[in-house]
Amino acid sequence: MKIKHLVKDTNWQNRVEQIGYGYHSDNGIPYWIDDYYFSISESFADEIYNATTELWQMCLTAVEHVIENKKYHLFHIPNYFHHHIERSWNNETPSIYGRFDFAYDQVRNQLKMLEFNADTPTSLFECGVVQWHWMQHYFGNFKDQFNSVHEQLVNSWKEIKPYLKGESLHFTCVRESLEDLSNVEYLRDCAIQAGIQTQLLYIDEIGWNGSNFVDLQDQPITDIFKLYPWEWMVNEEYGHHITNDILEAQWIEPSWKMILSNKAILAILWELFPNHSLLLETYFNDAKNMVSFVKKPLLSREGANISIISNNKIIESTTGDYGHEGFVYQELAPLIKNHSGYTIIGSWIIGQESCGISFRESDSLITNDRSRFIPHIIE
């Protein structure tokens, strides 16, 4: 696995905008990397595939464990919502996707799971569409990628279609984020290709008529995909409406994903699968005997409120509004280091299938919303 450079396409911004990628830069600083890429071997792609598949099954075991033993307090999930989580799990409410983030130790050749973005993962559009078009532009059909995201999304929506409760599947997100809207529109387009009737509305346009949710035409909402975190919803008025909804609308991602999107799951996995080669040692509220570790809030986003401790000294930290629910302490893992920065690997599970990878690069050890997306090629 190594970085390779290309002759820069001076028209790259226009090229990616033509496929609907409007957030490729932030204040003139590119978020999308067009002129270099990760060259990986087929065997390394297989290694990521197998690791993702194995971890997904371990995560499902962990969800079952948390629900059976009612360990919701470790996740700070409100009492009133426990029943909804159990109902969504027992009813097998469909899940469409998630993204594992990995560190890779280049000395030991070992993948390590950093976390699982199970509820509202983004960069799906970049992974499934933009990097595929990038490959077509530079290499035509002469190269390959670990990337069947698009096909797997369409197939997964086809599998979910018979289980929808109504005629129309609604899609929603906040109105202020072009990135969120682009990801939702991509998911919606795949659902349409799967033969599903869809409607888009912003999260603040969802209505409540006193007994069930309604759209802008006052039509009942029975199935809805949301790119909006569960931990926010349960602390808003929406949360109580969800538990009082007489139509019991199916929310995708389902509420049992609250367990997997919480950093508490990292400590639970270590408890259930101690010393597993894909896991990092992780504990609740205590570093135990570790001298190099990462302190992560149970609930946080975009790298906020993270502290990295190496040999008992803080070497990097970020600020933010998270941490009120407590922290987990995770063993510090070495990241891929190149001249351009530090890189983590994102690996997508869609439906039940591992189907695509992406690389995110940062100037520092902590990945955040400004971290760059690097495409890849198998060669």
Side-chain angles (χ1 to χ4, degrees):
M1 176 177 51
K2 59 183 178 180
I3 291 281
K4 289 188 176 181
H5 290 262
L6 299 163
V7 176
K8 193 167 188 175
D9 174 14
T10 56
N11 191 47
W12 72 267
Q13 290 98 334
N14 290 330
R15 193 186 79 238
V16 298
E17 286 170 8
Q18 287 175 3
I19 57 173
Y21 189 33
Y23 54 98
H24 51 70
S25 304
D26 181 17
N27 291 321
I29 300 173
Y31 160 73
W32 170 261
I33 297 298
D34 204 71
D35 59 343
Y36 60 88
Y37 66 95
F38 269 101
S39 171
I40 67 172
S41 66
E42 189 169 344
S43 62
F44 186 62
D46 290 342
E47 185 178 345
I48 295 172
Y49 175 94
N50 292 331
T52 303
T53 302
E54 184 173 1
L55 283 168
W56 173 240
Q57 292 304 316
M58 291 161 62
C59 283
L60 295 179
T61 299
V63 173
E64 181 77 29
H65 170 78
V66 171
I67 290 176
E68 277 190 359
N69 295 281
K70 298 191 180 299
K71 294 191 171 186
Y72 302 111
H73 62 287
L74 296 173
F75 295 74
H76 288 259
I77 296 173
N79 291 338
Y80 83 91
F81 214 72
H82 298 176
H83 176 67
H84 193 277
I85 290 174
E86 291 167 3
R87 191 176 69 198
S88 73
W89 178 252
N90 293 330
N91 290 345
E92 300 182 354
T93 303
S95 161
I96 190 73
Y97 70 163
R99 192 196 69 231
F100 289 96
D101 285 344
F102 289 108
Y104 186 69
D105 186 333
Q106 292 173 288
V107 175
R108 297 178 179 177
N109 296 323
Q110 177 62 58
L111 287 165
K112 292 287 186 180
M113 173 187 167
L114 295 171
E115 57 191 53
F116 186 27
N117 301 277
D119 184 20
T120 57
T122 54
S123 77
L124 181 67
F125 183 65
E126 292 93 317
C127 184
V129 177
V130 185
Q131 74 167 343
W132 185 86
H133 279 275
W134 168 87
M135 181 179 69
Q136 295 297 311
H137 174 79
Y138 283 106
F139 300 100
N141 293 319
F142 297 102
K143 299 289 184 179
D144 199 7
Q145 278 179 347
F146 178 12
N147 186 3
S148 59
V149 166
H150 187 82
E151 294 82 358
Q152 189 58 29
L153 276 174
V154 174
N155 289 337
S156 293
W157 284 125
K158 285 180 180 177
E159 291 172 0
I160 287 173
K161 184 181 178 184
Y163 300 98
L164 297 179
K165 300 174 73 173
E167 295 295 322
S168 185
L169 173 60
H170 289 77
F171 285 79
T172 191
C173 65
V174 296
R175 66 174 70 233
E176 299 86 2
S177 171
L178 178 60
E179 180 180 5
D180 285 10
L181 179 60
S182 298
N183 276 270
V184 165
E185 283 286 40
Y186 176 47
L187 281 152
R188 183 182 173 218
D189 178 65
C190 291
I192 292 171
Q193 291 185 45
I196 297 174
Q197 180 179 320
T198 71
Q199 292 189 54
L200 176 71
L201 75 171
Y202 292 112
I203 197 87
D204 57 33
E205 293 176 329
I206 297 174
W208 174 255
N209 65 9
S211 60
N212 59 267
F213 293 104
V214 293
D215 61 20
L216 292 172
Q217 288 73 46
D218 286 330
Q219 294 301 304
I221 294 174
T222 54
D223 307 273
I224 180 167
F225 173 88
K226 52 101 190 141
L227 189 60
Y228 194 72
W230 271 112
E231 69 263 23
W232 295 0
M233 293 176 70
V234 297
N235 289 310
E236 298 172 2
E237 191 176 359
Y238 270 111
H240 290 278
H241 288 337
I242 290 169
T243 57
N244 295 327
D245 179 8
I246 64 169
L247 295 180
E248 297 182 358
Q250 290 193 120
W251 292 81
I252 305 171
E253 296 295 308
S255 59
W256 60 262
K257 280 294 194 76
M258 282 185 75
I259 296 170
L260 290 178
S261 61
N262 189 306
K263 302 298 188 300
I265 198 64
L266 301 173
I268 295 292
L269 283 167
W270 185 253
E271 176 186 319
L272 293 177
F273 305 98
N275 301 310
H276 192 286
S277 60
L278 294 172
L279 299 179
L280 291 163
E281 190 174 355
T282 308
Y283 304 101
F284 287 104
N285 299 318
D286 189 349
K288 303 288 185 185
N289 295 319
M290 295 187 290
V291 296
S292 297
F293 55 90
V294 182
K295 181 182 176 184
K296 296 182 173 182
L298 295 185
L299 301 173
S300 69
R301 296 185 170 272
E302 299 175 341
N305 300 99
I306 302 287
S307 297
I308 297 180
I309 293 88
S310 178
N311 292 319
N312 290 319
K313 293 183 179 178
I314 297 177
I315 59 171
E316 199 170 303
S317 63
T318 55
T319 59
D321 298 326
Y322 301 100
H324 303 294
E325 296 83 5
F327 295 83
V328 293
Y329 294 72
Q330 183 186 58
E331 175 189 357
L332 180 61
L335 302 183
I336 302 165
K337 176 70 170 66
N338 289 293
H339 69 281
S340 51
Y342 299 93
T343 302
I344 65 170
I345 302 168
S347 180
W348 290 90
I349 183 98
I350 296 178
Q352 303 295 317
E353 188 73 23
S354 170
C355 62
I357 59 172
S358 54
F359 293 89
R360 294 286 303 279
E361 180 187 71
S362 307
D363 295 332
S364 61
L365 289 168
I366 299 174
T367 304
N368 59 34
D369 59 343
R370 295 185 177 180
S371 299
R372 301 172 288 275
F373 190 106
I374 305 176
H376 77 279
I377 289 291
I378 297 174
E379 53 187 1

